[in-house]
Amino acid sequence: MKHKKRFSVVLLLMIVFLCTACSGGNTADSAGVQTTAEIPVIINQAEYVLYQNIFYNDYGSQYENAPVTKNGVFAVLQDAFNDRTRYYVWGYLDNTQCCDWQWEFVPKDTKNLPAPGSLITVSGTFAKDEAAALDGYWIKDADVSTVKTYTGAAAELHMLAMSDTLERVQVLNIMYRSEAFEGKTFTAYGRIAGPGVLQDPYYDGSWEIPFSAASDSSALAIGTNVTLNGKVSAGTLGDCAVTVTQ
């Protein structure tokens, strides 16, 4: 993920604040926790600055073994390159949603995690682990509390619940470790790159993956924003239902 577009950062922010813009239609479950059928949009400039400083400006050592708390969207990434399920809390820099931040964490308890796409708070110890953490740092011994449970459409590979960066990593897994994902259900988002080809929603040349649609999608113009759901087939996105988005 370190090939993400870098930004020049001159200020290290020590304290971060959460600023949320969540979709409506919220209810509550039997335990009183809010639920939503739409994935929350989390905007936090300070988290993005911190993310850039740690992973691109070598500030990580200043935070090693420090307690941290992060608020954001929950995502689960299937890493077939390392045979590992990875857990993330993530959000965006601003409302353009083209630049994102994500913190990998190791939950104490994986049995009671909410659905991907839920709004969560993660508390644990920020630690260096170059052998196991995908980017060399993660939050270990993490307690996870659910702020808002996602109850909308889901899939085994729920890329609609991932940041752009995390979706790119999952797509590359699908393409280059295809045997691990054959037949798995998925959701995805991006832009039409050409007939039957999906690409990164924001960045040209980031990734492209073939898809086959359950109905004719050849009339979709290049650059059209879409979401897909279907099943993985031989390293491609198969049997897709295609929805045009704004």
Side-chain angles (χ1 to χ4, degrees):
M1 293 193 290
K2 293 185 179 179
H3 54 287
K4 182 78 174 175
K5 183 178 180 182
R6 299 188 181 189
F7 284 72
S8 297
V9 180
V10 297
L11 177 64
L12 178 65
L13 300 178
M14 304 294 289
I15 302 176
V16 297
F17 297 92
L18 176 67
C19 191
T20 64
C22 298
S23 302
N26 300 321
T27 58
D29 63 16
S30 58
V33 177
Q34 280 195 318
T35 63
T36 179
E38 298 185 24
I39 296 168
V41 176
I42 305 303
I43 307 298
N44 194 321
Q45 183 178 19
E47 283 287 8
Y48 181 79
V49 171
L50 186 62
Y51 173 79
Q52 292 290 315
N53 275 326
I54 285 176
F55 290 108
Y56 301 118
N57 297 325
D58 298 324
Y59 281 63
S61 61
Q62 298 185 20
Y63 292 88
E64 288 180 27
N65 303 315
V68 294
T69 297
K70 305 295 182 183
N71 305 280
V73 179
F74 177 47
V76 178
L77 188 150
Q78 301 298 334
D79 178 6
F81 288 97
N82 296 289
D83 193 24
R84 189 181 189 103
T85 299
R86 297 187 183 276
Y87 304 94
Y88 288 88
V89 55
W90 67 273
Y92 294 109
L93 165 66
D94 56 31
N95 283 317
T96 65
Q97 299 181 25
C98 63
C99 300
D100 47 55
W101 48 265
Q102 43 274 309
W103 305 104
E104 185 178 0
F105 67 90
V106 183
K108 288 180 180 178
D109 177 14
T110 60
K111 295 180 181 179
N112 296 309
L113 294 172
S118 298
L119 182 61
I120 61 172
T121 298
V122 176
S123 297
T125 301
F126 191 75
K128 184 175 184 177
D129 193 330
E130 293 182 339
L134 191 57
D135 282 335
Y137 288 100
W138 57 13
I139 301 169
K140 67 178 185 180
D141 300 325
D143 291 307
V144 180
S145 60
T146 303
V147 179
K148 189 176 294 185
T149 302
Y150 173 72
T151 58
E156 293 170 281
L157 305 172
H158 193 13
M159 289 181 278
L160 288 179
M162 296 181 186
S163 66
D164 178 44
T165 297
L166 295 176
E167 184 183 35
R168 180 171 66 249
V169 176
Q170 191 65 79
V171 165
L172 293 176
N173 270 267
I174 291 170
M175 294 176 66
Y176 297 111
R177 291 292 185 272
S178 59
E179 67 283 351
F181 301 100
E182 185 68 23
K184 289 187 179 294
T185 59
F186 71 86
T187 64
Y189 64 105
R191 294 173 295 154
I192 297 297
V197 180
L198 186 72
Q199 68 173 332
D200 188 291
Y202 307 109
Y203 300 108
D204 293 339
S206 172
W207 57 263
E208 293 184 355
I209 187 170
F211 73 90
S212 58
S215 59
D216 184 21
S217 62
S218 60
L220 291 173
I222 292 174
T224 302
N225 292 309
V226 297
T227 62
L228 307 179
N229 64 79
K231 291 185 177 180
V232 176
S233 176
T236 70
L237 306 180
D239 196 25
C240 296
V242 181
T243 301
V244 175
T245 60
Q246 294 183 347

